[in-house]
Amino acid sequence: MSTRILVVYYSATGNTAKLAAALAGGAAEAGAEVRLRTVAETAPAEAIASNPRWQAHVHSAPAVELATLDDLEWADGFAAGSPTRFGGPASQLKSYLDTTGGLWAKGRLVNKVATSFTTSSTAHGGLESTVLATNNIFYHWGAIVLPLGYTDPHLMESGNPYGGSFVSRKSAAPDETALRALHLQGNRLAQIAGYVAAGIRGG
Ligand SMILES: Cc1cc2nc3c(=O)[nH]c(=O)nc-3n(C[C@H](O)[C@H](O)[C@H](O)COP(=O)(O)O)c2cc1C
């Protein structure tokens, strides 16, 4: 049975979506069965209309299925991504995560391997605080929080041991360095979730 990986993200202007796709690709390359999912947009239309890049993304991004609770229960490993919003994850991602109380109460999220990623427009604008705040939820689940670390020489270059990230200063789109780091994060998530799942299934 292949390792099951769920990648869930929110993205307003497309950067986190690209990071999520790279992470999903890394997990698939490692042999995992991967579900790539987004979450519902809850911002009012006028907020979206005030940002041409947000508006364009809402209108032109390829359709991606919305994550369900079944996706989360199905997964052995889980990656959550969001743009940094005032130093933390976007409410759209948090809203999805806040629907997991029922699964949490039944212990269904225990021992899933979980990791986070983000993008911000500035280098010191909260990349780490967003990853750490997202990971806080995983501690409550009893999940196994997976850092990216410096587990590959490439990560010395991309430089975020907390989780894959990208600085989108001046509206830059994720570059090859960042995408490679996310790919490696997906590889690692699939590998470690596979070890844990094999142990659980093997009894
Ligand atoms: C409401 C709002 C809050 C933001 N807060 C921060 C922030 O705290 N630090 C930062 O560096 N960038 C911040 N940004 C910029 C986004 O994190 C950045 O543009 C990111 O790359 C967008 O990702 P996306 O294309 O996936 O939506 C903010 C953007 C918005 C719209």
Side-chain angles (χ1 to χ4, degrees), residues 10-17 83-87 119-122 125-126 168:
Y10 170 73
S11 186
T13 58
N15 295 330
T16 315
T84 290
R85 290 275 172 90
F86 306 120
T119 164
S120 72
S121 60
T122 57
S168 64

Side-chain angles (χ1 to χ4, degrees), residues 81-93:
S82 165
T84 290
R85 290 275 172 90
F86 306 120
S91 61
Q92 290 88 341
L93 177 70

Side-chain angles (χ1 to χ4, degrees), residues 2-3 5-6 17 19 29 33-34 38 51 64 69-70 72 78 93 98 106 116 120 124 147 149 152 178-179 201:
S2 48
T3 306
I5 298 296
L6 173 65
L19 300 180
E29 186 196 67
E33 185 183 347
V34 181
T38 189
N51 179 337
V64 175
L69 293 177
D70 285 346
L72 200 47
F78 173 72
L93 177 70
D98 284 353
K106 292 181 198 141
S116 304
S120 72
H124 302 287
D152 182 280
L179 294 174
R201 286 180 193 130

Side-chain angles (χ1 to χ4, degrees), residues 38-188:
T38 189
V39 293
E41 179 57 87
T42 56
E46 58 267 32
I48 296 170
S50 72
N51 179 337
R53 292 182 62 239
W54 193 355
Q55 181 89 63
H57 182 68
V58 165
H59 286 301
S60 64
V64 175
E65 278 182 56
L66 296 183
T68 65
L69 293 177
D70 285 346
D71 290 327
L72 200 47
E73 197 166 7
W74 164 87
D76 301 311
F78 173 72
S82 165
T84 290
R85 290 275 172 90
F86 306 120
S91 61
Q92 290 88 341
L93 177 70
K94 186 67 169 45
S95 289
Y96 170 69
L97 296 172
D98 284 353
T99 66
T100 61
L103 292 178
W104 165 81
K106 292 181 198 141
R108 298 280 165 74
L109 303 170
V110 171
N111 291 339
K112 293 189 186 288
V113 177
T115 197
S116 304
F117 58 99
T118 190
T119 164
S120 72
S121 60
T122 57
H124 302 287
L127 294 170
E128 285 90 349
S129 59
T130 299
V131 167
L132 294 173
T134 307
N135 286 350
N136 277 337
I137 294 160
F138 306 149
Y139 291 104
H140 287 255
W141 290 355
I144 301 167
V145 176
L146 183 73
L148 184 52
Y150 293 102
T151 48
D152 182 280
H154 175 78
L155 299 170
M156 298 301 284
E157 201 183 324
S158 74
N160 196 331
Y162 300 90
S165 65
F166 177 67
V167 177
S168 64
R169 193 158 170 74
K170 297 184 178 160
S171 303
D175 59 15
E176 284 309 313
T177 301
L179 294 174
R180 179 78 193 138
L182 269 293
H183 185 92
L184 291 165
Q185 190 172 3
N187 260 192
R188 177 166 158 75

